[in-house]
Amino acid sequence: MFTWTEEKNQLNKKKHGFYLPEIVDVFDDPHLIEWYDKKHSSMEEDRYICLGRLHDTVILFVVFTERGGNIHLITARKAEPIEERLYYAHYEKETGGN
């Protein structure tokens, strides 16, 4: 299950062009890359970052945490070019370039 705050949802749409409920399918990407966000994690909350493709059209950079067994979305934006290259390098490694 996915959660978010309505304030962050509205802010994300205004700032990055995506409502948070619109991006949940990025977690279905079989080539999703996920890592621990050491810089923004705290004693109270571990944060994670992922790069994944949404509906085979756009690569997204998503920040999230886990709360009460749910994935709590914090922000999502279109990946920057360097992040897209990271995603596609990972994709090619996993698929052998196919």
Side-chain angles (χ1 to χ4, degrees):
M1 181 170 194
F2 296 90
T3 62
W4 51 84
T5 64
E6 191 54 33
E7 179 182 354
K8 284 281 191 175
N9 184 38
Q10 295 300 322
L11 181 62
N12 203 79
K13 176 65 173 177
K14 184 176 182 179
K15 189 172 182 181
H16 301 297
F18 297 98
Y19 284 116
L20 295 173
E22 296 175 327
I23 65 92
V24 299
D25 288 345
V26 78
F27 288 88
D28 292 334
D29 180 354
H31 307 291
L32 185 79
I33 306 169
E34 179 183 321
W35 66 93
Y36 180 72
D37 183 0
K38 185 176 180 180
K39 182 177 180 181
H40 296 103
S41 292
S42 67
M43 293 295 289
E44 294 80 32
E45 182 174 81
D46 290 328
R47 288 196 177 186
Y48 302 89
I49 297 169
C50 69
L51 289 172
R53 190 164 29 185
L54 182 64
H55 307 303
D56 291 329
T57 59
V58 62
I59 307 301
L60 295 182
F61 177 97
V62 179
V63 178
F64 66 98
T65 189
E66 295 178 10
R67 290 186 185 163
N70 298 316
I71 295 174
H72 183 80
L73 302 173
I74 297 168
T75 190
R77 61 168 170 76
K78 184 178 181 307
E80 294 179 0
I82 193 167
E83 295 159 345
E84 288 182 352
R85 288 192 296 275
L86 175 66
Y87 175 86
Y88 284 116
H90 173 76
Y91 178 88
E92 288 182 15
K93 183 179 177 184
E94 283 194 335
T95 64
N98 296 322

